[in-house]
Amino acid sequence: MTFLNEYAFYIGAFGLILIGLLTILLRHHLIKLIIGLSIMETGINLFLIAIGYISRGTAPIFPVDGGAGTVMVDPVPQALVLTAIVIGVAVLAMALGMAIRLHGHYGTLDMRRIKELKW
Amino acid sequence: MRVLLSLAVVAVLAAGIVTVLRDVPFGGNSSRLGSHFVENGREDTGAANIVTSVVLGYRGFDTLGEVTVLFVAAVGLGALLVAGEKNAPRKLEKASMVLTTGSRFLFPLILLFGAYIFIHGHLTPGGGFQGGAIIASGYLLVYLGSRDRRLGKNWAASIETGGGLTFVLLGLAGLTAAGHWFLSNFLPLGVPGQLLSAGIIPIIYVAIGLKVGVELTGVIDSLMGGTE
C-alpha cells in the first residue's frame, strides 16, 4: 500500500509518457502520431505536477479568511505546466495544420506512403 | 523487427526512469523557491492565487513570451492553411432545430463564464489562458451547431492587437513609472482576496483572456476552413 501511495502518480505519469512514445514509434497513421505526442505531453505535465506535491498540501490559493497555517503545494511546477499546456496547444494546432496540408498533397495520412518520413 | 526495437528502447527508458525516481519520494517536495513564493507571493504581488502571482508577477516576462508563441502558432496555422489550395466547399446538412437553438442559447452563457474565469484569475483557480480557452470552446460549439455567430476578421484583429499592446504597454509603464523593471507593478496592490487588488495583474489577465480567446477561435476557424 505504501508503494502505491508513493509511486502511483509516477507510474501513471511515466506510463502515459511511455505509451505515447510507443504510439509514436509503432503507428503509421499521422493523426495517431499526433495523438501519441499529446499523450506524452499529458504524462510530462502530470509528472511535473506530481513532483511539486507536498504531503497533505492544498492548492496554492489563499482563502479570504487568511488561510494561516495551511500547507500549500509548490506553485512553481503548476505555473510551468500552465505554460507547457499553452505551448502544447500551439504545437498541436501546427501539427494538425501540417497534417491537413500533407493530406491535401499526398491524398493519404499513412506515413509509409509519404516517402522518406518513417523508418 | 521494428516492434522489437521500439519495445527495447521503451524498456531501457523505463529502467532508467525507475532507477532515478526510486530515490525521489512522492509528496516530499522541499523546493525553497516554491516555499518562498507561497510565503511572500501574497504580499509581493497582492494576488491570492499564488500560481497567478508566479505567472504574472514573478515571471511576467516569460508569460509575454508564451503569449507570443501562441500568437505565432495561430498566425502560422492561418498561413499554412489559407495560403494553400482552396478546397471546394462541402455540402453540409443543416443541423436540427434542437441543436441550433441549444447552441445559440448556450453561447452567451459560455462567453460569460469565460469572462468570469479570466476576471477572477488572481483570486480563484483559472486565469487568462483558461478563460480564453472557454471562450473559444463557445465559438467551437457554435461552429459545430448553428454556424451563424462568427467573429469578424476586423474585430478579431483589433482585439488581438489590443490585448498584446495592453500587455506590452503596461510592462513599459511599469518600467517608467515605478522605475524598477519591465512589468513591475505600479498600481496599488489593494487587499488580497478582493476583486480590485493585485495592481496590474487583473488588467493583464483580461487582456490575455480576450487575446487567447480570439486566437484559439482563429485556430478553430482555420482548422475548419472551407466548411462554409
Side-chain angles (χ1 to χ4, degrees), chain B residues 43-147:
Chain B
E43 286 73 32
D44 283 353
T45 64
N49 183 346
I50 302 299
V51 178
T52 298
S53 84
V54 173
V55 167
L56 284 184
Y58 295 106
R59 293 173 57 247
F61 189 59
D62 182 76
T63 305
L64 183 59
E66 183 187 350
V67 170
T68 313
V69 168
L70 195 62
F71 172 70
V72 169
V75 170
L77 188 69
L80 199 64
L81 290 179
V82 173
E85 73 269 30
K86 285 270 184 290
N87 40 356
R90 282 173 281 165
K91 282 287 276 183
L92 291 167
E93 213 175 310
K94 257 193 119 43
S96 73
M97 200 184 96
V98 175
L99 189 59
T100 314
T101 316
S103 61
R104 271 183 205 157
F105 172 71
L106 280 176
F107 177 65
L109 296 179
I110 294 175
L111 289 199
L112 185 67
F113 182 58
Y116 168 80
I117 291 283
F118 65 65
I119 288 171
H120 289 252
H122 56 304
L123 303 177
T124 55
F129 297 101
Q130 296 91 326
I134 291 172
I135 286 181
S137 80
Y139 273 100
L140 178 62
L141 178 74
V142 165
Y143 280 137
L144 294 176
S146 56
R147 290 190 202 90

Side-chain angles (χ1 to χ4, degrees), chain B residues 151-176:
Chain B
L151 198 58
K153 280 265 184 285
N154 289 334
W155 272 104
S158 43
I159 290 175
E160 210 168 328
T161 318
L165 265 183
T166 310
F167 201 158
V168 173
L169 287 181
L170 275 174
L172 289 177
L175 195 63
T176 53

Side-chain angles (χ1 to χ4, degrees), chain A residues 46-84:
Chain A
L46 186 60
F47 171 67
L48 283 177
I49 290 290
I51 211 153
Y53 181 69
I54 294 171
S55 293
R56 282 185 289 284
T58 60
I61 297 169
F62 283 96
V64 182
D65 58 8
T70 47
V71 180
M72 288 183 178
V73 300
D74 194 344
V76 179
Q78 302 201 3
L80 291 179
V81 166
L82 176 59
T83 308

Side-chain angles (χ1 to χ4, degrees), chain A residues 6-7 25 51 55 60 62 101, chain B residues 2 22 26-27 48 50 85:
Chain A
E6 286 188 8
Y7 290 104
L25 287 173
I51 211 153
S55 293
F62 283 96
R101 293 287 288 154
Chain B
R2 211 172 53 100
R22 219 168 28 191
F26 177 66
I50 302 299
E85 73 269 30

